């Protein structure tokens, strides 16, 4: 059996791909950035394409040749620089469903979300429901799966945030700590997809994939803290207005290309409660889905997990500090060109050349300080920062070696900044 998995390298999609490979299926995976996916899973036929731009059936037909089933695990949380929810969740799905009918691909598995509804005021849930409707109105043999809060060994998005909050020193801060949640392990989602693809689930049915009983968000965080092997701590409720401020900031970062799980759409979803009906799955499978405790027990926890959890909340601090440092450095240089140029003229450099060097350096500082905030430019900006810092140290050592012994440490202080750039490069990847 050949299966096309959309979003095949995502949190849920990668688990689905791995399960289908174990089932003996031939798998093709589609996504916007598949270079790393090809290295991780060479057995998959990876297709680089932006689903949100594939809005007619003819865009999909070449990809459906030879396929027996399609699994749509693609999605985005909120509109932003990289995401158009209506195109991704509705228009592309509508075109794909039409193409499946034309190509004779009858089995379709749609990964939706708890809370998806046409009446929702949130664009994520509304567009998800519109995409679900396109599938459910079709003549295909479809299955719509609505997972609750997905728990996975991979750590990004919401799963990363849970780890980070659970690892907070001394206390566990939580906005909406009392909001009810039902979880599901990513392996259980992949198992449901496997059964649907194989025809071992009823056709044309929507299923909530959730554990039996909801629990407060605070309890989920405490379960994660215990899983990380950290000392017990009490939940400290965070005022809702702080959550709204953080959500607004995360929304703004979304337009710069960053995908924060703290965006207002996620907070709205938690506020509404991630609660589904477990009875449909129980009646089909003959047993309920495992609870959170079982899911966590199946995931090994090591020191790497604690490192990641502690570093995750520091990541935005690292990038903000780097950006601010370089922006201020450049701005101060431009504001005090004469004073900065004196460092060079005092060592035999002509005043004109010295001023030119100062201005060029200041403009470079400002440019990379701004560029590091744009997700598409972050990596090259960090590499430029590292190169500029190394050049600055080398040039200063040749022209003004005495600055190494300056009591204010203008050269010594560059080294921690250089190390922070290397740290930022190491923790940059989101997935």
């Amino acid at each position: 059996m050949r299966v096309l998995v959309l979003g095949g390298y995502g949190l849920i999609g990668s688990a689905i791909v791995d399960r289908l490979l174990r089932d003996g299926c031939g798998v093709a995976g589609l996504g916007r950035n598949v270079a790393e996916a090809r290295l991780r899973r060479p057995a998959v036929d990876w297709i680089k394409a932006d689903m949100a731009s594939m809005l007619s059936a003819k865009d999909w037909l070449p990809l459906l040749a030879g396929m027996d089933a399609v699994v749509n695990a693609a999605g985005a949380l909120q509109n932003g620089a990289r995401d158009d929810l209506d195109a991704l969740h509705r228009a592309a799905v509508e075109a794909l469903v039409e193409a499946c009918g034309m190509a004779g691909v009858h089995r379709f598995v749609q990964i939706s979300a708890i809370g998806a509804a046409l009446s929702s005021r949130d664009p994520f849930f509304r567009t998800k429901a519109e995409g679900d409707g396109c599938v459910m109105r079709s003549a295909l043999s479809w299955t719509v799966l609505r997972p609750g809060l997905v728990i996975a060994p991979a750590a990004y998005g919401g799963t990363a945030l849970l780890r980070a909050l659970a690892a907070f020193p001394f206390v566990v801060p939580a906005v909406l700590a009392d909001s009810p949640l039902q979880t599901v392990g990513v392996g259980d989602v992949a198992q449901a997809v496997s059964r649907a693809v194989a025809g071992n689930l009823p056709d044309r049915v929507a299923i909530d994939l959730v554990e039996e009983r909801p629990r407060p968000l605070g309890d989920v965080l405490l379960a994660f803290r215990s899983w990380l092997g950290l000392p017990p701590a009490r939940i400290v409720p965070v005022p809702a207005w702080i959550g709204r401020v953080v959500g607004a900031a995360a929304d703004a970062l979304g337009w710069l290309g960053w995908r924060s799980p703290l965006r207002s759409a996620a907070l709205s979803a938690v506020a509404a409660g991630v609660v589904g009906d477990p009875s449909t799955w129980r009646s089909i499978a003959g047993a309920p889905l495992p609870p959170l405790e079982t899911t966590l027990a199946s995931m090994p926890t090591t020191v790497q997990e604690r490192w990641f959890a502690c570093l995750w909340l520091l990541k935005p601090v690292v990038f903000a500090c780097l950006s601010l440092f370089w922006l201020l450095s450049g701005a101060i240089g431009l504001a005090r060109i004469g004073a900065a140029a004196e460092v060079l003229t005092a060592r035999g450099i002509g005043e004109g050349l010295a001023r030119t060097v100062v201005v060029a350096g200041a403009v470079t500082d400002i440019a990379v300080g701004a560029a590091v905030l744009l997700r598409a430019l972050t990596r090259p900006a960090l590499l430029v920062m590292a190169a500029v810092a190394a050049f600055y140290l080398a040039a200063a050592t040749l022209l003004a070696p005495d600055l190494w012994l300056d009591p204010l440490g203008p050269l010594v202080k560059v080294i921690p900044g250089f190390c922070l750039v290397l740290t930022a490069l190491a923790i940059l990847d989101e997935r």
Side-chain angles (χ1 to χ4, degrees), residues 314-391:
L314 288 176
K315 182 174 179 177
V317 177
V318 168
F319 286 95
C321 286
L322 281 173
S323 177
L324 185 61
F325 171 79
W326 285 77
L327 288 171
L328 286 177
S329 177
I332 292 170
L334 290 178
R336 304 192 63 192
I337 295 175
E342 284 180 8
V343 176
L344 299 175
T345 56
R347 290 162 176 82
I349 305 296
E351 184 174 349
L353 178 58
R355 285 179 170 268
T356 300
V357 169
V358 169
V359 171
V363 170
T364 300
D365 288 355
I366 292 172
V368 295
V372 79
L373 297 176
L374 297 173
R375 183 61 185 85
L377 300 177
T378 302
R379 187 177 296 277
L382 290 171
L383 293 172
V384 171
M385 285 180 178
V388 169
F391 175 79

Side-chain angles (χ1 to χ4, degrees), residues 233-247:
R234 67 185 184 89
I235 296 291
V236 176
V238 176
W241 68 266
I242 293 180
R244 288 192 293 270
V245 170
V246 172

Side-chain angles (χ1 to χ4, degrees), residues 280-304:
T280 303
W281 175 263
R282 191 192 324 113
S283 65
I284 292 172
L289 286 167
L292 174 62
E293 293 79 9
T294 303
T295 300
L296 290 176
S298 70
M299 295 163 39
T301 176
T302 62
V303 68
Q304 291 95 319

Side-chain angles (χ1 to χ4, degrees), residues 11 34 55 93 105 125 129 146 193 212 230 281 304 312 352 380 421:
L11 180 77
V34 297
L55 305 181
V93 173
V105 180
F125 293 110
R146 301 187 181 116
V193 171
E212 284 291 292
L230 297 173
W281 175 263
Q304 291 95 319
W312 195 85
V421 171

